[in-house]
Amino acid sequence: MGILPKKVIAGILAVVLIGFSLGIRIAHPQGGLKNGLGSAESGLVIYKKSEITTAGTKVIVQFDKPQKSPILAVISANTRDAIVVQTGTKLENIKVKQIKGELLVMVPFLGTVLGLVGL
């Protein structure tokens, strides 16, 4: 028997598979909004895949290179031509297809560990 019992491992895998099938994903933001526990880069985010465009919604945005991605942002405005998101101190115009999903939970500090191993 290893560190974790087989039933615990099976339970964790079941939760991950069910979440994945419901559109739940995990990302390590490379920039964006900060919170009281630090920068976006220092955490992991759990988000639900969607193309939500409601102002005030926190989203994960995928930018084209050379910008780092994904970015944690909040939708500031939804105009006919573009969606305006705030990524910290900057406002950016994006397209709906650049929105990966809506933020559900931010887990602080785990992003720092992943950054040390290159993820």
Side-chain angles (χ1 to χ4, degrees):
M1 184 138 88
I3 295 173
L4 292 174
K6 290 181 183 179
K7 288 183 180 181
V8 172
I9 293 171
I12 291 170
L13 286 175
V15 168
V16 168
L17 288 174
I18 291 169
F20 194 81
S21 68
L22 295 173
I24 306 296
R25 303 287 190 270
I26 298 174
H28 177 213
Q30 301 301 306
L33 300 175
K34 296 180 180 186
N35 65 31
L37 296 174
S39 66
E41 299 93 1
S42 70
L44 288 180
V45 294
I46 300 173
Y47 68 96
K48 182 165 178 41
K49 283 182 66 170
S50 72
E51 292 183 343
I52 192 161
T53 59
T54 308
T57 304
K58 291 181 182 166
V59 292
I60 306 303
V61 178
Q62 185 73 35
F63 284 105
D64 297 327
K65 298 211 185 268
Q67 286 184 293
K68 294 181 179 180
S69 284
I71 301 291
L72 181 59
V74 63
I75 298 174
S76 294
N78 183 354
T79 66
R80 190 168 38 119
D81 300 324
I83 297 169
V84 180
V85 294
Q86 182 178 358
T87 61
T89 59
K90 296 189 321 187
L91 293 175
E92 305 266 355
N93 289 328
I94 64 166
K95 296 178 177 144
V96 174
K97 67 180 183 174
Q98 290 177 270
I99 297 174
K100 293 178 68 173
E102 178 181 5
L103 175 72
L104 296 176
V105 176
M106 181 161 186
V107 183
F109 311 121
L110 288 180
T112 303
V113 175
L114 290 178
L116 293 175
V117 296
L119 296 176

